[in-house]
């Protein structure tokens, strides 16, 4: 397994830009070749926007790190051309179980309804995730798309200006100067880019310590998420078990506050903990061990002129609920189409302020849920613990108590209810597809709806008339006409019509609903397009 960590995927190669005078100016420079930076570059390149990724590393991240990837990010990755390899390699799961002491108190299904291309979650080590994104970037590069990864290139200085950003980039051959029309900083929780601009986080820092152990073992545990409160093998604390590909299992053990991290990471201290959990008869091999504490914090603003922050560089949450990488992918999904329209002169630069508004709203939602999970998992007083334990006891027998159990509210996509890009809702349709909502998938013919929507503004008409050639302020709006009567299932009608006989939706390039109406109204939808691209109407 160590081979993947040792193999350079994008080794340093001297570039002509390093000798250029004056400095070369690139359209978009992305700092960081992790999952979020790679996704941003792929998204832009697929739309014809030049994206240069710089990273001081040249390999995948060491250790499995983020492993849980939710349905909505998988749908985003599908649009980026690499969703299927992730799912094919990953461990698919929809079911979870909650234990209190030695008792299973209940289980849950994260995707009980049918008619979706992708599952609720897959488990996939981050090193595979990054490798598949690099493969997709290379594929696009070979096809002539404007994408490039520069390993061994570390941004050491950054100076923003009104119309560009100056960058000093260190390499094995010495530093060079580069200019960028725009910079997207995806350089992780420590974010040197954030520090260069003198920016910081606001929010909470937690004191609890958690042990991560990736172990290779041949075990017959089912493919489910198992979470324990106060288990006999880790009394007074919590534990989590997930299956990954290649016979690798992720185990999280809560350790408490005052510990010696270096001592706790030693195999002679880790192995007894794992044996207490798994049993003496289970043979396993340690692959990766880490100890983490966490924060629930974010930047006050994600946009700073022509420098935009995404992923962990913009916000951090606890790992409970798998909200880190999943929310980062939703950041770039929200940002890239807006940046494209601004760069093409089809939308005002102020459209990028809606990236701030919408994704800060999403970050705050994640931080709230993540903080609540942490407070439930790690009670800070004896009274809180008694209340938590009473809820767990009740949940074993009474369904009403189960929503109160919080072992990590699992990642769901954000609905931008208060977005300035939304138009007035003119359809008495299902709440799940109101303006601001991400489009739920549904079977359509031999495929699925989200594949047909793609990454362009789309008029989706269902049992309603709409024009095939609709253009607003230089933006051509694609038309997708569907009939619920032609569908083998009622999923499309249930998710988009409800009790209505027909509907027309305006879908944004990130597949969020911008507007909907019972019928096509030219003025309504023209104004809805203008509103969705940041033009006042």
């Amino acid at each position: 397994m160590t081979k993947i960590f040792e193999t350079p995927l994008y080794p340093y190669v001297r570039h002509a830009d390093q000798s250029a005078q004056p400095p070369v100016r690139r359209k978009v420079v992305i700092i960081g070749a992790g999952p979020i930076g790679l996704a941003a570059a792929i998204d832009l390149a697929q739309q014809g926007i030049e994206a240069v990724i710089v990273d001081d590393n040249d390999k995948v991240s060491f250790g499995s790190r983020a492993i849980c990837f939710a349905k909505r990010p998988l749908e985003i990755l599908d649009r980026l051309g690499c969703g299927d390899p992730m799912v094919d390699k990953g461990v698919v799961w929809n079911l979870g179980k909650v234990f209190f002491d030695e008792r299973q108190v209940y289980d849950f299904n994260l995707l009980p309804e049918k008619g979706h291309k992708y599952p609720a979650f897959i488990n996939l080590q981050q090193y595979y995730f990054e490798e598949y994104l690099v493969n997709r970037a290379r594929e696009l590069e070979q096809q002539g798309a404007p994408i490039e990864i520069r390993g061994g290139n570390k941004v050491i200085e950054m100076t923003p200006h009104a119309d560009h950003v100056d960058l000093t980039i260190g390499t094995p051959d010495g530093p060079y100067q580069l200019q960028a029309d725009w910079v997207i900083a995806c350089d992780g929780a420590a974010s040197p880019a954030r520090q260069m601009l003198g920016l910081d986080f606001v929010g909470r820092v937690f004191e609890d310590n958690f042990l991560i152990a990736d172990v290779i073992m041949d075990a017959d545990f089912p493919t489910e998420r198992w979470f324990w409160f106060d288990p006999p093998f880790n009394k007074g604390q919590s534990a989590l078990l997930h299956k990954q590909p290649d016979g690798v299992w992720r185990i999280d053990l809560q350790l408490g506050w005052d510990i010696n991290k270096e001592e706790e990471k030693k195999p002679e201290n880790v192995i007894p903990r794992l044996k207490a959990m798994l049993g003496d008869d289970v043979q396993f091999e340690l692959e990766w061990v880490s100890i983490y504490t966490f924060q629930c914090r974010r930047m006050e603003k994600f946009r700073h002129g022509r420098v935009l922050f995404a992923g962990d560089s913009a916000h951090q949450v606890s790992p409970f609920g798998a909200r880190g990488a999943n929310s980062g992918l939703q950041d770039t999904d929200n940002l890239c189409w807006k940046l494209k329209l601004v760069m093409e002169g089809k939308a005002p630069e102020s459209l990028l302020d809606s990236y701030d508004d919408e994704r800060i709203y999403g970050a705050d939602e994640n931080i709230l849920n993540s903080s609540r999970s942490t407070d439930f998992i790690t009670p800070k007083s004896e009274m809180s613990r008694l209340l938590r334990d009473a809820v767990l006891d009740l949940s074993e027998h009474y369904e009403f108590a189960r929503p109160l159990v919080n072992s990590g509210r699992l990642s769901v996509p954000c609905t931008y209810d208060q977005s300035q890009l939304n138009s007035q809702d003119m359809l008495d349709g299902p709440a799940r597809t109101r303006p601001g909502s991400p489009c739920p998938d549904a079977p359509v013919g031999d495929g699925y709806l989200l594949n047909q929507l793609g990454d362009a503004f789309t008029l989706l008409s269902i049992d309603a008339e709409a024009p095939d050639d609709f253009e607003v302020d230089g933006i051509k709006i694609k038309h997708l006409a569907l009939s619920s009567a032609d569908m083998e299932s009622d999923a499309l009608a249930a998710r988009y019509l409800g009790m209505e006989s027909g509907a027309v939706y305006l879908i944004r390039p990130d597949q969020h609903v911008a507007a909907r109406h019972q019928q096509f109204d030219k003025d309504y939808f023209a104004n809805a397009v203008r509103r969705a691209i940041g033009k006042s109407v």
Side-chain angles (χ1 to χ4, degrees):
M1 197 60 63
T2 54
K3 183 179 180 182
I4 194 170
F5 303 133
E6 297 170 355
T7 305
L9 292 184
Y10 38 93
Y12 170 74
V13 176
R14 185 177 177 86
H15 195 280
D17 286 0
Q18 294 173 238
S19 304
Q21 290 294 333
V24 174
R25 186 152 164 173
R26 297 294 179 181
K27 295 293 185 183
V28 180
V29 172
I30 296 168
I31 307 175
I36 312 309
L38 288 164
I42 292 167
D43 200 343
L44 291 169
Q46 286 190 165
Q47 301 182 72
I49 302 295
E50 178 189 60
V52 177
I53 310 170
V54 295
D55 196 303
D56 58 339
N57 196 6
D58 59 6
K59 307 177 185 68
V60 298
S61 299
F62 186 81
S64 66
R65 298 176 180 264
I67 64 164
C68 297
F69 298 97
K71 179 176 179 292
R72 181 58 195 149
L74 291 174
E75 292 165 348
I76 294 169
L77 291 163
D78 191 32
R79 182 172 57 77
L80 299 183
C82 47
D84 286 346
M86 307 285 189
V87 176
D88 290 345
K89 179 66 176 179
V91 172
V92 173
W93 65 277
N94 294 325
L95 299 175
K97 291 179 179 176
V98 176
F99 300 86
F100 181 32
D101 196 0
E102 297 184 277
R103 315 185 323 265
Q104 178 184 325
V105 290
Y106 72 95
D107 57 27
F108 56 88
N109 186 341
L110 292 170
L111 191 61
E113 67 177 12
K114 297 180 179 180
H116 295 267
K117 180 176 181 179
Y118 285 110
F121 271 89
I122 65 165
N123 288 348
L124 181 70
Q125 295 94 320
Q126 184 171 320
Y127 46 79
Y128 283 130
F129 195 84
E130 291 182 12
E131 181 185 24
Y132 296 156
L133 285 166
V134 170
N135 291 345
R136 176 58 177 157
R138 294 296 191 209
E139 181 181 45
L140 288 169
E141 190 176 24
Q142 291 172 3
Q143 294 170 0
I147 186 171
E148 180 186 347
I149 308 174
R150 299 184 188 179
N153 279 238
K154 180 181 181 180
V155 176
I156 53 179
E157 289 184 22
M158 179 166 61
T159 306
H161 301 279
D163 65 344
H164 74 283
V165 181
D166 286 329
L167 300 167
T168 301
I169 299 176
T171 75
D173 291 330
Y176 70 100
Q177 305 299 311
L178 191 66
Q179 294 184 339
D181 288 347
W182 299 90
V183 170
I184 305 177
C186 306
D187 51 344
S191 186
R194 192 178 63 239
Q195 296 174 29
M196 289 175 202
L197 297 187
L199 302 169
D200 202 354
F201 285 137
V202 294
R204 293 175 63 185
V205 178
F206 293 85
E207 300 293 334
D208 273 288
N209 295 278
F210 292 80
L211 171 75
I212 294 178
D214 278 356
V215 301
I216 302 172
M217 63 180 177
D218 184 15
D220 59 357
F221 303 121
T223 306
E224 300 168 348
R225 177 188 191 261
W226 285 6
F227 192 98
W228 286 265
F229 292 95
D230 195 19
F233 53 83
N234 197 28
K235 290 300 293 181
Q237 308 288 0
S238 64
L240 179 66
L241 178 69
H242 270 291
K243 184 179 182 180
Q244 302 178 70
D246 304 330
V248 178
W249 295 78
R250 159 68 60 82
I251 296 170
D252 284 35
L253 295 173
Q254 183 183 355
L255 299 182
W257 285 34
D258 298 320
I259 66 167
N260 185 319
K261 294 182 181 180
E262 293 307 312
E263 284 296 315
E264 290 290 353
K265 285 194 295 185
K266 291 180 178 179
E268 60 264 30
N269 293 320
V270 173
I271 290 173
R273 290 184 179 276
L274 298 181
K275 284 185 175 292
M277 177 182 183
L278 302 171
D280 289 332
D281 57 334
V282 175
Q283 300 299 310
F284 61 84
E285 176 186 343
L286 283 177
E287 181 180 74
W288 179 61
V289 175
S290 180
I291 288 179
Y292 66 88
T293 55
F294 51 83
Q295 307 172 1
C296 288
R297 307 201 297 169
R298 66 165 173 83
M299 298 176 70
E300 293 190 63
K301 292 178 64 66
F302 296 173
R303 181 194 176 199
H304 292 266
R306 291 192 167 237
V307 181
L308 303 126
F309 290 82
D312 285 351
S313 68
H315 46 75
Q316 292 176 265
V317 293
S318 78
F320 306 124
R323 296 173 180 275
N326 286 302
S327 62
L329 289 166
Q330 291 170 74
D331 288 345
T332 60
D333 190 47
N334 184 286
L335 173 61
C336 288
W337 69 271
K338 296 174 180 177
L339 186 57
K340 174 180 183 287
L341 290 178
V342 169
M343 293 177 71
E344 292 176 342
K346 293 179 180 178
E349 191 173 312
S350 59
L351 176 61
L352 294 174
D353 294 333
S354 73
Y355 168 66
D356 243 4
D357 295 339
E358 292 182 342
R359 291 313 300 159
I360 284 176
Y361 179 83
D364 285 345
E365 183 176 271
N366 281 328
I367 287 170
L368 175 64
N369 283 304
S370 187
S371 298
R372 286 173 173 172
S373 297
T374 303
D375 289 339
F376 192 87
I377 292 167
T378 62
K380 303 304 184 288
S381 69
E382 185 59 26
M383 184 59 69
S384 296
R385 181 177 295 277
L386 289 171
L387 179 61
R388 194 274 310 268
D389 292 354
V391 168
L392 288 167
D393 281 331
L394 286 169
S395 69
E396 184 175 9
H397 304 288
Y398 301 103
E399 190 169 347
F400 82 87
R402 292 169 188 170
L404 302 176
V405 175
N406 197 335
S407 63
R409 295 277 190 252
L410 288 155
S411 176
V412 295
C414 181
T415 295
Y416 308 126
D417 278 312
Q418 306 302 319
S419 175
Q420 61 189 348
L421 307 188
N422 295 344
S423 289
Q424 182 180 359
D425 191 357
M426 301 299 290
L427 183 76
D428 186 18
R432 68 191 294 183
T433 44
R434 64 191 183 275
S437 301
C439 290
D441 209 358
V444 173
D446 295 331
Y448 287 87
L449 175 63
L450 296 186
N451 291 131
Q452 297 200 28
L453 291 178
D455 58 5
F457 272 105
T458 302
L459 277 179
L460 169 63
S461 62
I462 304 171
D463 301 333
E465 298 294 328
D468 289 329
D469 51 349
F470 185 51
E471 184 172 329
V472 180
D473 294 359
I475 297 176
K476 293 183 178 180
I477 314 300
K478 184 175 75 173
H479 179 211
L480 175 60
L482 300 174
S483 168
S484 60
D486 295 338
M487 304 300 154
E488 292 186 5
S489 78
D490 62 357
L492 182 70
R495 293 165 198 175
Y496 288 86
L497 296 182
M499 301 303 294
E500 296 282 357
S501 60
V504 180
Y505 282 75
L506 176 66
I507 310 299
R508 301 179 350 178
D510 59 0
Q511 299 179 347
H512 278 251
V513 176
R516 62 180 185 175
H517 201 293
Q518 290 177 322
Q519 59 192 7
F520 178 75
D521 181 300
K522 184 176 180 180
D523 290 340
Y524 171 81
F525 281 105
N527 287 334
V529 172
R530 294 188 183 100
R531 188 181 303 278
I533 62 173
K535 294 184 177 180
S536 59
V537 293

